[in-house]
Amino acid sequence: MGYNVIALDNLSGGFVENVNAKAEFVKGSFLDLALVDKIFTNNNITHVYHLGAYAAEGLSHFIRNFNYNNNLIGSINLINAAINFKVKCFVFTSSIAVYGKNQLPYSEATTPNPEDPYGIAKYAVELDLKNAHEMFGLNYVIFRPHNVYGERQNIGDRYRNVIGIFMNSILKQYELPIFGDGNQTRAFSYISDVSVPIAHSGFMKEAYNNVFNIGADKPYSINELVSVIAHAFETSPKTKNLTARNEVVHAYSTHDKALQVFGKFIQNVDLKTGIGRMADWVRKEGAKSTPRFENIEILENLPDAWR
């Protein structure tokens, strides 16, 4: 789009080779107040795109301090800077985790009732942005994406990104781990259908000070997902059913509002096509190691697979 971009990331869940070569990359954390202040002081920052989070929703129950520091306090650091340096628009990726359960399909009019610390943190940031707009005039755009997948995703994270976990397991000839009976449903969203609208939103005043669900419309069960991935890899993987987690069983949303504003940027890539593209990339990349999270804060009720 022709803008100068500064990318700030601590690489806890990503890789430097994924950073666009045209961007200026700063390795660091938004928890580092001095670094955040330096970036804003030394550059004419007009727009902030805040996609940084530790997005392991299920694990968030067991890393509450870490979750709230990274996903809430870190966000507030950026909001403060955006206010102080008169940023024109703050774009934030929240999550449909803010809705909780039993309100299907989620629409933007649905009252949030998050079920886990991850969703609670995301919703708290949403509320703070609305307050910052009312108090200081900071414009914002909030997106609630869900189950995003695609090329360049970290398939070595054992706690999140089920599609990456399954693909990595196939490459390693491991059993595919399924929590519970596999009948829980999600609408898996291909990356370009989410990233492109997000990129344009900061420069679209008709999107300002609004909340948008963004992602795929059609939900699939985890068992159905296994079949689609198996087809893409031309294999018949074995699955392993683990004890069900404490999680929302069914989660999908409507996207009418996003289509009205961002329709020209949304291709609605279907699951089979998106999985095929990601599978081609994963085969070239090869299998990845799956390191454990080293700072679990609560062991009670922690799933055995994560111990």
Side-chain angles (χ1 to χ4, degrees):
M1 293 168 62
Y3 295 99
N4 295 323
V5 176
I6 298 172
L8 170 65
D9 192 8
N10 65 3
L11 299 180
S12 62
F15 308 95
V16 69
E17 55 265 31
N18 288 345
V19 180
N20 191 304
K22 295 180 181 178
E24 176 187 342
F25 178 63
V26 178
K27 184 178 180 181
S29 171
F30 46 42
L31 292 173
D32 185 340
L33 282 171
L35 177 59
V36 171
D37 184 70
K38 179 181 177 181
I39 291 172
F40 278 82
T41 299
N42 293 344
N43 300 276
N44 179 28
I45 305 295
T46 60
H47 294 72
V48 173
Y49 286 79
H50 176 31
L51 297 89
Y54 189 70
E57 184 177 354
L59 189 63
S60 69
H61 294 284
F62 309 98
I63 53 170
R64 306 174 88 85
N65 182 280
F66 183 90
N67 168 73
Y68 289 120
N69 268 298
N70 280 268
N71 298 345
L72 176 54
I73 301 303
S75 301
I76 301 307
N77 291 344
L78 294 177
I79 293 173
N80 282 350
I83 294 168
N84 287 330
F85 287 87
K86 309 298 182 185
V87 162
K88 294 179 181 178
C89 186
F90 191 108
V91 180
F92 174 58
T93 51
S94 182
S95 169
I96 66 165
V98 303
Y99 291 119
K101 62 184 179 182
N102 300 330
Q103 305 186 80
L104 298 170
Y106 309 134
S107 77
E108 292 85 353
T110 303
T111 301
N113 187 24
E115 290 281 310
D116 52 63
Y118 174 73
I120 292 169
K122 286 291 191 180
Y123 188 46
V125 177
E126 289 191 20
L127 294 175
D128 193 82
L129 280 171
K130 293 174 184 177
N131 176 268
H133 171 68
E134 294 168 1
M135 187 71 185
F136 305 107
L138 176 65
N139 293 313
Y140 64 84
V141 184
I142 294 170
F143 287 96
R144 293 171 177 166
H146 49 94
N147 303 96
V148 182
Y149 72 96
E151 299 91 323
R152 300 192 182 94
Q153 190 163 44
N154 181 3
I155 67 169
D157 192 323
R158 67 171 63 201
Y159 305 102
R160 53 181 172 167
N161 309 330
V162 63
I163 292 174
I165 291 171
F166 284 173
M167 290 187 177
N168 201 34
S169 296
I170 287 174
L171 292 183
K172 292 185 172 185
Q173 297 184 327
Y174 291 171
E175 294 175 318
L176 275 56
I178 297 175
F179 288 97
D181 58 14
N183 290 323
Q184 58 268 50
T185 57
R186 301 289 187 269
F188 301 99
S189 308
Y190 186 66
I191 180 60
S192 62
D193 283 331
V194 176
S195 61
V196 178
I198 289 174
H200 286 276
S201 67
F203 302 91
M204 299 173 63
K205 290 188 177 180
E206 63 268 36
Y208 283 13
N209 309 312
N210 277 286
V211 178
F212 298 94
N213 293 334
I214 192 82
D217 294 314
K218 184 179 179 181
Y220 289 82
S221 72
I222 299 300
N223 292 328
E224 291 172 325
L225 176 66
V226 170
S227 297
V228 175
I229 293 176
H231 181 268
F233 280 88
E234 299 178 337
T235 187
S236 298
K238 293 182 178 180
T239 60
K240 180 180 181 181
N241 291 86
L242 308 173
T243 303
R245 298 186 313 197
N246 179 22
E247 63 178 341
V248 174
V249 178
H250 303 291
Y252 52 92
S253 59
T254 62
H255 307 100
D256 297 343
K257 186 176 179 181
L259 287 171
Q260 290 176 3
V261 178
F262 306 108
K264 62 182 177 181
F265 303 121
I266 299 173
Q267 297 178 333
N268 284 318
V269 175
D270 65 89
L271 185 64
K272 182 179 179 181
T273 300
I275 290 293
R277 293 175 183 175
M278 183 174 175
D280 289 342
W281 173 79
V282 166
R283 275 190 288 259
K284 294 176 184 176
E285 287 290 305
K288 304 296 182 183
S289 61
T290 57
R292 295 185 182 276
F293 191 92
E294 295 296 334
N295 296 303
I296 302 292
E297 299 161 15
I298 298 175
L299 295 177
E300 183 176 349
N301 297 329
L302 182 70
D304 290 339
W306 292 349
R307 292 184 182 274

